[in-house]
Amino acid sequence: MKTENQKAWFFVLPVLLLVAFNALIPMMTVVNYSVQETFGDNVFFWQGLDWFQQILRSERFHAALGRQFLFTFLILIIEVPLGIAIALSMPRKGLWVPVCLVLMALPMLIPWNVVGAMWNIFTLPDIGLLGYFLNHVLGINYDMTQDPLAAWVTIITMDVWHWTSLVVLLSYAGLVSIPDAYYQAAKIDGASNWSVFRFIQLPKMKTVLTIAILLRFMDSFNIYTEPFVLTGGGPGNSTTMLSIDLVKIALGQFDLGPAAAMSLIYFAITLLVSWLFYTLMTKDDLN
């Protein structure tokens, strides 16, 4: 068995080397820019940790980071319970199973930039279906280009529509893997639906929910394309997430040093919070 495992590494090794190469080269470039200043012509000046100190003390960075955490928090508390609820309501057997699975998967197949463009048109006050309905039928003064609250609600709704399906499919996979014997035993004991969910379904879904939460955290915390296409970070800076601010600094202002330092801090925060999530979710398993 040990020899077979060693042979398997020869098949995996090329992929690992390719991934490592594609990850390490850009990372080394970012680290290089984060400790230097350049004024063009490939001339660099040593800055040390000055950019990191500047970013960490920047109110602009703190504001963008706060918006990013708020967005991610709202996404998780909406999508995870909603995804579990939808998965519980889906059929486990019959012809409707593949239909439901396909319908759930459809939003995730649409590219990020297309989703942003779709919702941008969909929410236009005059010609957009949702915008026209809210403004002219319900009489709500809805304009996400002028109202920060409307912009936030629109971005969150768009993300919920786009990515709740991921939580649904993972939760559904966890549910269908539970043996019928558990449900039969619960029925004999007279357990309520809540008890079945609390003591059977939820513990058995713990692994897939850990994956779902980690994936949704990392994706929502690094979201860029959809809100950029939808609002461009506006109105004002109300929807300027950390990712959007990073691109503005790097490509808009062409401040490569601060942008590189910010990206490394961004990366470190993502890794740290992901590790904390994973540790908390698997604490009982490790014990």
Side-chain angles (χ1 to χ4, degrees):
M1 181 65 68
K2 186 175 181 180
T3 305
E4 292 180 358
N5 291 337
Q6 291 176 346
K7 290 181 179 179
W9 277 105
F10 287 103
F11 295 98
V12 180
L13 189 60
V15 178
L16 293 177
L17 291 175
L18 181 62
V19 172
F21 177 79
N22 289 334
L24 287 177
I25 297 300
M27 178 65 73
M28 291 169 60
T29 304
V30 172
V31 172
N32 179 51
Y33 275 107
S34 69
V35 294
Q36 300 190 72
E37 171 67 293
T38 178
F39 297 101
D41 296 329
N42 207 28
V43 178
F44 293 90
F45 303 91
W46 178 257
Q47 288 289 125
L49 299 177
D50 291 349
W51 294 133
F52 292 93
Q53 295 174 358
Q54 176 181 317
I55 293 297
L56 291 174
R57 295 171 182 171
S58 170
E59 293 184 2
R60 174 178 175 177
F61 171 77
H62 296 159
L65 181 62
R67 288 189 290 268
Q68 194 77 63
F69 270 118
L70 176 61
F71 174 78
T72 300
F73 173 75
L74 293 174
I75 288 300
L76 289 178
I77 65 172
I78 294 174
E79 291 185 9
V80 174
L82 180 61
I84 295 173
I86 295 174
L88 289 170
S89 65
M90 289 173 60
R92 313 289 167 79
K93 298 178 182 179
L95 296 176
W96 284 105
V97 172
V99 175
C100 291
L101 292 177
V102 170
L103 290 176
M104 283 293 104
L106 282 178
M108 295 190 297
L109 300 178
I110 305 175
W112 295 286
N113 56 336
V114 176
V115 171
M118 285 171 50
W119 278 81
N120 193 359
I121 298 172
F122 186 54
T123 55
L124 288 175
D126 296 326
I127 62 173
L129 182 62
L130 178 61
Y132 185 88
F133 178 78
L134 292 175
N135 281 279
H136 300 282
V137 178
L138 297 183
I140 300 174
N141 186 19
Y142 169 83
D143 187 358
M144 67 175 183
T145 62
Q146 302 294 329
D147 185 5
L149 179 60
W152 268 86
V153 171
T154 305
I155 291 176
I156 291 172
T157 305
M158 174 185 63
D159 195 88
V160 169
W161 172 83
H162 193 196
W163 287 111
T164 301
S165 299
L166 177 65
V167 183
V168 173
L169 295 177
L170 288 172
S171 300
Y172 186 81
L175 287 172
V176 297
S177 66
I178 301 175
D180 292 335
Y182 286 90
Y183 296 109
Q184 294 171 0
K187 186 177 181 180
I188 293 173
D189 292 339
S192 63
N193 291 335
W194 169 250
S195 297
V196 171
F197 173 74
R198 172 67 179 84
F199 297 105
I200 297 177
Q201 293 173 326
L202 192 58
K204 293 297 181 182
M205 288 194 297
K206 185 177 181 180
T207 301
V208 293
L209 287 179
T210 300
I211 297 172
I213 291 173
L214 282 174
L215 289 176
R216 288 308 302 129
F217 164 75
M218 289 186 289
D219 186 63
S220 61
F221 194 69
N222 292 277
I223 192 171
Y224 170 76
T225 306
E226 296 100 315
F228 180 76
V229 174
L230 187 62
T231 66
N237 290 321
S238 60
T239 59
T240 301
M241 310 297 176
L242 192 58
S243 55
I244 296 177
D245 200 33
L246 175 59
V247 174
K248 286 182 177 180
I249 294 174
L251 302 181
Q253 303 170 200
F254 209 69
D255 289 334
L256 299 182
M262 181 185 289
S263 65
L264 291 176
I265 296 172
Y266 198 177
F267 178 64
I269 293 173
T270 304
L271 281 182
L272 177 61
V273 179
S274 298
W275 176 78
L276 289 175
F277 266 129
Y278 179 79
T279 302
L280 291 174
M281 294 290 291
T282 59
K283 180 174 61 176
D284 295 336
D285 298 336
L286 294 175
N287 293 334

